[in-house]
Amino acid sequence: LNNIVSLSKKLIEIPSDTNNREECLKILKTAQNELKGLSFSVFSKDGIPSVLYTNTPKPEKKCKIILNAHLAR
């Protein structure tokens, strides 16, 4: 639980306006640094880069959501 709170605080501190591409990429990089060891797949939706992390050995389309977040507009 402490890891979730710590990561949440780090991500909340970064401005997440989708018009500021640099800050959005910083959020994704922070997540990647903090979630090392988890499977992930990178994708883009409406031109906005995203990363989906799963707690499975390799990324799967069908998985339970354990953490969901989005960048604000």
Side-chain angles (χ1 to χ4, degrees):
L1 182 60
N2 288 335
N3 291 344
I4 293 171
V5 172
S6 175
L7 176 57
S8 296
K9 286 181 180 180
K10 286 180 183 179
L11 296 175
I12 290 169
E13 288 175 357
I14 302 170
S16 61
D17 181 346
T18 54
N19 294 316
N20 188 336
R21 175 76 84 203
E22 185 177 315
E23 291 298 315
C24 291
L25 294 175
K26 184 177 177 180
I27 291 169
L28 294 180
K29 188 67 173 172
T30 299
Q32 288 174 327
N33 288 337
E34 294 292 324
L35 300 173
K36 287 180 183 171
L38 292 177
S39 299
F40 66 93
S41 54
V42 178
F43 64 96
S44 181
K45 175 73 173 163
D46 297 328
I48 300 169
S50 300
V51 182
L52 174 65
Y53 283 90
T54 61
N55 61 347
T56 56
K58 57 184 176 180
E60 298 181 14
K61 288 186 178 184
K62 292 185 178 183
C63 62
K64 291 183 179 179
I65 295 175
I66 56 174
L67 174 63
N68 183 33
H70 64 87
L71 304 177
R73 279 195 184 258

